[in-house]
Amino acid sequence: MCKMLLSINPEHVINILQGNKTYEYRKILCKRKVDTIVIYATCPVQKIVGEVEVLEAIEMDKEKLWKITEKKSGITKEFYDKYYEGKDTAVAYKLGEVIKYDEPHSLSDIGIKMAPQSYMYISENLILAN
């Protein structure tokens, strides 16, 4: 079991927590098989707000990936194309069960000083759900 802390824009966090966005896009695939994404909502929230199960990690041609994921992407094609500009391949984490924390947590609650730019592995024993 592996947990990963991801910094995600609050707009996308809301869509994940509401189940409207079931794919989280990234430019690189992390090396380990991740079971859980711990969600850090970026500015202005700046809190760990929940976690989500990772059902699958997908890496493929960016146009093929969009065709597979677009209905539950939670983003526009324009946003997607801009994000992957200059890239041939894209990565998506297919999201499953979502846990929204009753009380958001600060990074310092888990011993982290700064939010990750991309991702950060964290202890799989970490339990934040209230």
Side-chain angles (χ1 to χ4, degrees):
M1 187 161 150
C2 181
K3 286 188 179 185
M4 168 172 66
L5 177 68
L6 282 186
S7 298
I8 303 174
N9 179 292
E11 174 187 346
H12 302 308
V13 169
I14 290 167
N15 284 325
I16 290 169
L17 296 176
Q18 293 175 344
N20 300 325
K21 183 178 191 332
T22 60
Y23 292 94
E24 177 58 24
Y25 299 99
R26 294 289 148 161
K27 292 180 181 170
I28 59 169
L29 182 66
C30 61
K31 293 180 183 356
R32 298 185 194 170
K33 181 189 179 299
V34 175
D35 302 293
T36 305
I37 293 171
V38 177
I39 303 167
Y40 174 77
T42 59
C43 210
V45 178
Q46 296 181 295
K47 295 283 184 183
I48 301 169
V49 298
E51 57 188 71
V52 62
E53 172 188 27
V54 175
L55 300 174
E56 178 183 11
I58 308 164
E59 182 178 32
M60 65 175 56
D61 173 83
K62 67 182 180 183
E63 293 307 319
K64 287 181 184 174
L65 184 64
W66 177 253
K67 287 177 183 167
I68 293 169
T69 63
E70 68 179 307
K71 286 186 173 58
K72 291 298 249 173
S73 67
I75 59 173
T76 64
K77 178 69 161 81
E78 180 181 57
F79 183 93
Y80 182 89
D81 287 342
K82 187 174 181 181
Y83 183 71
Y84 287 114
E85 190 172 6
K87 302 279 186 188
D88 293 325
T89 60
V91 173
Y93 291 95
K94 184 175 182 179
L95 308 177
E97 184 180 348
V98 177
I99 298 170
K100 181 180 178 186
Y101 300 155
D102 293 334
E103 294 292 324
H105 299 276
S106 66
L107 290 172
S108 62
D109 291 345
I110 60 169
I112 297 173
K113 293 182 181 183
M114 293 179 57
Q117 289 295 316
S118 179
Y119 65 88
M120 174 186 296
Y121 297 115
I122 57 177
S123 170
E124 61 255 9
N125 299 322
L126 180 72
I127 299 172
L128 290 172
N130 326 30

